[in-house]
PDB file of all heavy atoms in Angstrom:
ATOM      1  N   VAL A 298      45.449 -82.983  21.524  1.00 98.00           N
ATOM      2  CA  VAL A 298      45.932 -81.924  22.413  1.00 98.00           C
ATOM      3  C   VAL A 298      46.727 -80.922  21.584  1.00 98.00           C
ATOM      4  O   VAL A 298      47.658 -81.304  20.862  1.00 98.00           O
ATOM      5  CB  VAL A 298      46.818 -82.500  23.532  1.00 98.00           C
ATOM      6  CG1 VAL A 298      47.352 -81.382  24.423  1.00 98.00           C
ATOM      7  CG2 VAL A 298      46.041 -83.516  24.358  1.00 98.00           C
ATOM      8  N   THR A 299      46.345 -79.660  21.657  1.00 96.00           N
ATOM      9  CA  THR A 299      47.066 -78.600  20.950  1.00 96.00           C
ATOM     10  C   THR A 299      47.552 -77.576  21.967  1.00 96.00           C
ATOM     11  O   THR A 299      47.065 -77.498  23.074  1.00 96.00           O
ATOM     12  CB  THR A 299      46.157 -77.907  19.920  1.00 96.00           C
ATOM     13  OG1 THR A 299      45.035 -77.344  20.601  1.00 96.00           O
ATOM     14  CG2 THR A 299      45.657 -78.889  18.876  1.00 96.00           C
ATOM     15  N   GLY A 300      48.506 -76.758  21.563  1.00 95.00           N
ATOM     16  CA  GLY A 300      49.060 -75.757  22.458  1.00 95.00           C
ATOM     17  C   GLY A 300      50.277 -76.277  23.182  1.00 95.00           C
ATOM     18  O   GLY A 300      50.346 -77.452  23.562  1.00 95.00           O
ATOM     19  N   TYR A 301      51.256 -75.410  23.364  1.00 98.00           N
ATOM     20  CA  TYR A 301      52.546 -75.819  23.918  1.00 98.00           C
ATOM     21  C   TYR A 301      52.437 -76.286  25.364  1.00 98.00           C
ATOM     22  O   TYR A 301      52.904 -77.373  25.717  1.00 98.00           O
ATOM     23  CB  TYR A 301      53.533 -74.657  23.811  1.00 98.00           C
ATOM     24  CG  TYR A 301      54.943 -75.006  24.187  1.00 98.00           C
ATOM     25  CD1 TYR A 301      55.831 -75.490  23.240  1.00 98.00           C
ATOM     26  CD2 TYR A 301      55.403 -74.864  25.501  1.00 98.00           C
ATOM     27  CE1 TYR A 301      57.137 -75.824  23.576  1.00 98.00           C
ATOM     28  CE2 TYR A 301      56.700 -75.194  25.856  1.00 98.00           C
ATOM     29  CZ  TYR A 301      57.558 -75.670  24.885  1.00 98.00           C
ATOM     30  OH  TYR A 301      58.844 -76.005  25.224  1.00 98.00           O
ATOM     31  N   GLU A 302      51.841 -75.471  26.207  1.00 97.00           N
ATOM     32  CA  GLU A 302      51.753 -75.841  27.621  1.00 97.00           C
ATOM     33  C   GLU A 302      50.931 -77.109  27.815  1.00 97.00           C
ATOM     34  O   GLU A 302      51.307 -78.007  28.581  1.00 97.00           O
ATOM     35  CB  GLU A 302      51.146 -74.693  28.441  1.00 97.00           C
ATOM     36  CG  GLU A 302      51.064 -74.996  29.933  1.00 97.00           C
ATOM     37  CD  GLU A 302      50.436 -73.865  30.725  1.00 97.00           C
ATOM     38  OE1 GLU A 302      50.098 -72.819  30.128  1.00 97.00           O
ATOM     39  OE2 GLU A 302      50.268 -74.043  31.942  1.00 97.00           O
ATOM     40  N   ALA A 303      49.806 -77.194  27.106  1.00 97.00           N
ATOM     41  CA  ALA A 303      48.966 -78.387  27.215  1.00 97.00           C
ATOM     42  C   ALA A 303      49.706 -79.622  26.735  1.00 97.00           C
ATOM     43  O   ALA A 303      49.584 -80.711  27.312  1.00 97.00           O
ATOM     44  CB  ALA A 303      47.682 -78.194  26.413  1.00 97.00           C
ATOM     45  N   ALA A 304      50.512 -79.480  25.668  1.00 97.00           N
ATOM     46  CA  ALA A 304      51.278 -80.614  25.152  1.00 97.00           C
ATOM     47  C   ALA A 304      52.317 -81.069  26.164  1.00 97.00           C
ATOM     48  O   ALA A 304      52.454 -82.278  26.432  1.00 97.00           O
ATOM     49  CB  ALA A 304      51.951 -80.229  23.838  1.00 97.00           C
ATOM     50  N   GLN A 305      53.063 -80.134  26.733  1.00 97.00           N
ATOM     51  CA  GLN A 305      54.068 -80.500  27.725  1.00 97.00           C
ATOM     52  C   GLN A 305      53.445 -81.245  28.893  1.00 97.00           C
ATOM     53  O   GLN A 305      53.976 -82.260  29.369  1.00 97.00           O
ATOM     54  CB  GLN A 305      54.783 -79.257  28.234  1.00 97.00           C
ATOM     55  CG  GLN A 305      55.983 -78.831  27.418  1.00 97.00           C
ATOM     56  CD  GLN A 305      56.877 -77.893  28.193  1.00 97.00           C
ATOM     57  OE1 GLN A 305      56.410 -77.046  28.962  1.00 97.00           O
ATOM     58  NE2 GLN A 305      58.178 -78.009  28.001  1.00 97.00           N
ATOM     59  N   ARG A 306      52.314 -80.759  29.361  1.00 97.00           N
ATOM     60  CA  ARG A 306      51.671 -81.388  30.509  1.00 97.00           C
ATOM     61  C   ARG A 306      51.148 -82.776  30.156  1.00 97.00           C
ATOM     62  O   ARG A 306      51.265 -83.714  30.951  1.00 97.00           O
ATOM     63  CB  ARG A 306      50.549 -80.486  31.025  1.00 97.00           C
ATOM     64  CG  ARG A 306      51.074 -79.218  31.702  1.00 97.00           C
ATOM     65  CD  ARG A 306      49.996 -78.192  31.923  1.00 97.00           C
ATOM     66  NE  ARG A 306      48.915 -78.688  32.771  1.00 97.00           N
ATOM     67  CZ  ARG A 306      47.791 -78.024  33.006  1.00 97.00           C
ATOM     68  NH1 ARG A 306      47.599 -76.835  32.432  1.00 97.00           N
ATOM     69  NH2 ARG A 306      46.869 -78.523  33.797  1.00 97.00           N
ATOM     70  N   ALA A 307      50.584 -82.920  28.962  1.00 97.00           N
ATOM     71  CA  ALA A 307      50.072 -84.234  28.563  1.00 97.00           C
ATOM     72  C   ALA A 307      51.210 -85.242  28.403  1.00 97.00           C
ATOM     73  O   ALA A 307      51.069 -86.425  28.745  1.00 97.00           O
ATOM     74  CB  ALA A 307      49.282 -84.118  27.268  1.00 97.00           C
ATOM     75  N   LEU A 308      52.346 -84.787  27.865  1.00 97.00           N
ATOM     76  CA  LEU A 308      53.463 -85.685  27.627  1.00 97.00           C
ATOM     77  C   LEU A 308      54.138 -86.150  28.906  1.00 97.00           C
ATOM     78  O   LEU A 308      54.921 -87.109  28.882  1.00 97.00           O
ATOM     79  CB  LEU A 308      54.491 -85.008  26.713  1.00 97.00           C
ATOM     80  CG  LEU A 308      54.032 -84.734  25.278  1.00 97.00           C
ATOM     81  CD1 LEU A 308      55.053 -83.888  24.536  1.00 97.00           C
ATOM     82  CD2 LEU A 308      53.773 -86.030  24.525  1.00 97.00           C
ATOM     83  N   THR A 309      53.852 -85.482  30.022  1.00 96.00           N
ATOM     84  CA  THR A 309      54.428 -85.886  31.312  1.00 96.00           C
ATOM     85  C   THR A 309      53.343 -86.289  32.311  1.00 96.00           C
ATOM     86  O   THR A 309      53.642 -86.481  33.489  1.00 96.00           O
ATOM     87  CB  THR A 309      55.268 -84.741  31.907  1.00 96.00           C
ATOM     88  OG1 THR A 309      54.472 -83.545  31.984  1.00 96.00           O
ATOM     89  CG2 THR A 309      56.496 -84.465  31.056  1.00 96.00           C
ATOM     90  N   ASP A 310      52.111 -86.438  31.837  1.00 97.00           N
ATOM     91  CA  ASP A 310      51.006 -86.801  32.722  1.00 97.00           C
ATOM     92  C   ASP A 310      51.121 -88.287  33.084  1.00 97.00           C
ATOM     93  O   ASP A 310      50.994 -89.154  32.214  1.00 97.00           O
ATOM     94  CB  ASP A 310      49.674 -86.528  32.017  1.00 97.00           C
ATOM     95  CG  ASP A 310      48.477 -86.617  32.952  1.00 97.00           C
ATOM     96  OD1 ASP A 310      48.521 -87.423  33.906  1.00 97.00           O
ATOM     97  OD2 ASP A 310      47.495 -85.887  32.724  1.00 97.00           O
ATOM     98  N   PRO A 311      51.354 -88.626  34.351  1.00 96.00           N
ATOM     99  CA  PRO A 311      51.539 -90.040  34.713  1.00 96.00           C
ATOM    100  C   PRO A 311      50.280 -90.875  34.547  1.00 96.00           C
ATOM    101  O   PRO A 311      50.356 -92.104  34.537  1.00 96.00           O
ATOM    102  CB  PRO A 311      51.969 -89.966  36.188  1.00 96.00           C
ATOM    103  CG  PRO A 311      51.416 -88.664  36.693  1.00 96.00           C
ATOM    104  CD  PRO A 311      51.466 -87.731  35.518  1.00 96.00           C
ATOM    105  N   ARG A 312      49.120 -90.232  34.394  1.00 97.00           N
ATOM    106  CA  ARG A 312      47.881 -90.990  34.201  1.00 97.00           C
ATOM    107  C   ARG A 312      47.764 -91.552  32.791  1.00 97.00           C
ATOM    108  O   ARG A 312      47.007 -92.496  32.561  1.00 97.00           O
ATOM    109  CB  ARG A 312      46.671 -90.096  34.488  1.00 97.00           C
ATOM    110  CG  ARG A 312      46.628 -89.505  35.890  1.00 97.00           C
ATOM    111  CD  ARG A 312      45.489 -88.489  35.993  1.00 97.00           C
ATOM    112  NE  ARG A 312      45.645 -87.410  35.032  1.00 97.00           N
ATOM    113  CZ  ARG A 312      44.662 -86.580  34.643  1.00 97.00           C
ATOM    114  NH1 ARG A 312      43.435 -86.754  35.124  1.00 97.00           N
ATOM    115  NH2 ARG A 312      44.909 -85.620  33.784  1.00 97.00           N
ATOM    116  N   LEU A 313      48.490 -90.979  31.849  1.00 97.00           N
ATOM    117  CA  LEU A 313      48.414 -91.401  30.458  1.00 97.00           C
ATOM    118  C   LEU A 313      49.474 -92.457  30.178  1.00 97.00           C
ATOM    119  O   LEU A 313      50.674 -92.208  30.334  1.00 97.00           O
ATOM    120  CB  LEU A 313      48.609 -90.200  29.525  1.00 97.00           C
ATOM    121  CG  LEU A 313      47.405 -89.269  29.377  1.00 97.00           C
ATOM    122  CD1 LEU A 313      47.814 -87.961  28.711  1.00 97.00           C
ATOM    123  CD2 LEU A 313      46.299 -89.951  28.576  1.00 97.00           C
ATOM    124  N   GLY A 314      49.038 -93.639  29.752  1.00 96.00           N
ATOM    125  CA  GLY A 314      49.953 -94.726  29.448  1.00 96.00           C
ATOM    126  C   GLY A 314      50.004 -95.003  27.957  1.00 96.00           C
ATOM    127  O   GLY A 314      49.080 -94.668  27.216  1.00 96.00           O
ATOM    128  N   LYS A 315      51.085 -95.657  27.515  1.00 94.00           N
ATOM    129  CA  LYS A 315      51.294 -95.917  26.093  1.00 94.00           C
ATOM    130  C   LYS A 315      50.953 -97.344  25.672  1.00 94.00           C
ATOM    131  O   LYS A 315      50.807 -97.611  24.482  1.00 94.00           O
ATOM    132  CB  LYS A 315      52.772 -95.647  25.732  1.00 94.00           C
ATOM    133  CG  LYS A 315      53.236 -94.210  25.934  1.00 94.00           C
ATOM    134  CD  LYS A 315      52.565 -93.249  24.982  1.00 94.00           C
ATOM    135  CE  LYS A 315      52.918 -93.462  23.536  1.00 94.00           C
ATOM    136  NZ  LYS A 315      54.314 -93.127  23.198  1.00 94.00           N
ATOM    137  N   HIS A 316      50.867 -98.274  26.603  1.00 91.00           N
ATOM    138  CA  HIS A 316      50.683 -99.675  26.229  1.00 91.00           C
ATOM    139  C   HIS A 316      49.312 -99.875  25.583  1.00 91.00           C
ATOM    140  O   HIS A 316      48.288 -99.402  26.091  1.00 91.00           O
ATOM    141  CB  HIS A 316      50.815-100.577  27.457  1.00 91.00           C
ATOM    142  CG  HIS A 316      51.147-101.994  27.113  1.00 91.00           C
ATOM    143  ND1 HIS A 316      50.203-102.886  26.639  1.00 91.00           N
ATOM    144  CD2 HIS A 316      52.320-102.674  27.145  1.00 91.00           C
ATOM    145  CE1 HIS A 316      50.777-104.053  26.414  1.00 91.00           C
ATOM    146  NE2 HIS A 316      52.065-103.959  26.706  1.00 91.00           N
ATOM    147  N   HIS A 317      49.287-100.571  24.454  1.00 89.00           N
ATOM    148  CA  HIS A 317      48.044-100.741  23.699  1.00 89.00           C
ATOM    149  C   HIS A 317      46.984-101.535  24.452  1.00 89.00           C
ATOM    150  O   HIS A 317      45.809-101.496  24.092  1.00 89.00           O
ATOM    151  CB  HIS A 317      48.343-101.405  22.356  1.00 89.00           C
ATOM    152  CG  HIS A 317      48.900-100.463  21.344  1.00 89.00           C
ATOM    153  ND1 HIS A 317      49.170-100.823  20.044  1.00 89.00           N
ATOM    154  CD2 HIS A 317      49.239 -99.144  21.436  1.00 89.00           C
ATOM    155  CE1 HIS A 317      49.649 -99.775  19.378  1.00 89.00           C
ATOM    156  NE2 HIS A 317      49.708 -98.762  20.208  1.00 89.00           N
ATOM    157  N   SER A 318      47.375-102.261  25.485  1.00 89.00           N
ATOM    158  CA  SER A 318      46.382-102.989  26.271  1.00 89.00           C
ATOM    159  C   SER A 318      45.410-102.047  26.963  1.00 89.00           C
ATOM    160  O   SER A 318      44.317-102.465  27.378  1.00 89.00           O
ATOM    161  CB  SER A 318      47.077-103.868  27.316  1.00 89.00           C
ATOM    162  OG  SER A 318      47.825-103.076  28.235  1.00 89.00           O
ATOM    163  N   ARG A 319      45.768-100.774  27.073  1.00 92.00           N
ATOM    164  CA  ARG A 319      44.883 -99.780  27.700  1.00 92.00           C
ATOM    165  C   ARG A 319      43.768 -99.334  26.759  1.00 92.00           C
ATOM    166  O   ARG A 319      42.793 -98.733  27.203  1.00 92.00           O
ATOM    167  CB  ARG A 319      45.693 -98.550  28.117  1.00 92.00           C
ATOM    168  CG  ARG A 319      46.593 -98.750  29.336  1.00 92.00           C
ATOM    169  CD  ARG A 319      47.473 -97.523  29.529  1.00 92.00           C
ATOM    170  NE  ARG A 319      48.157 -97.520  30.813  1.00 92.00           N
ATOM    171  CZ  ARG A 319      47.893 -96.666  31.795  1.00 92.00           C
ATOM    172  NH1 ARG A 319      46.943 -95.758  31.637  1.00 92.00           N
ATOM    173  NH2 ARG A 319      48.567 -96.707  32.925  1.00 92.00           N
ATOM    174  N   GLY A 320      43.919 -99.567  25.462  1.00 91.00           N
ATOM    175  CA  GLY A 320      42.916 -99.108  24.506  1.00 91.00           C
ATOM    176  C   GLY A 320      41.594 -99.853  24.674  1.00 91.00           C
ATOM    177  O   GLY A 320      41.577-101.061  24.941  1.00 91.00           O
ATOM    178  N   ASN A 321      40.481 -99.128  24.493  1.00 92.00           N
ATOM    179  CA  ASN A 321      39.174 -99.755  24.655  1.00 92.00           C
ATOM    180  C   ASN A 321      38.734-100.437  23.355  1.00 92.00           C
ATOM    181  O   ASN A 321      39.404-100.356  22.318  1.00 92.00           O
ATOM    182  CB  ASN A 321      38.136 -98.742  25.151  1.00 92.00           C
ATOM    183  CG  ASN A 321      37.980 -97.543  24.227  1.00 92.00           C
ATOM    184  OD1 ASN A 321      38.172 -97.652  23.016  1.00 92.00           O
ATOM    185  ND2 ASN A 321      37.630 -96.391  24.799  1.00 92.00           N
ATOM    186  N   ALA A 322      37.598-101.111  23.419  1.00 89.00           N
ATOM    187  CA  ALA A 322      37.115-101.885  22.275  1.00 89.00           C
ATOM    188  C   ALA A 322      36.823-100.994  21.074  1.00 89.00           C
ATOM    189  O   ALA A 322      37.072-101.385  19.921  1.00 89.00           O
ATOM    190  CB  ALA A 322      35.874-102.671  22.673  1.00 89.00           C
TER     191      ALA A 322
END
Side-chain angles (χ1 to χ4, degrees):
V298 178
T299 60
Y301 187 89
E302 182 181 358
Q305 273 198 323
R306 289 167 60 187
L308 293 172
T309 54
D310 191 328
R312 301 172 301 162
L313 283 166
K315 298 293 294 291
H316 201 282
H317 282 184
S318 62
R319 287 172 168 248
N321 58 30

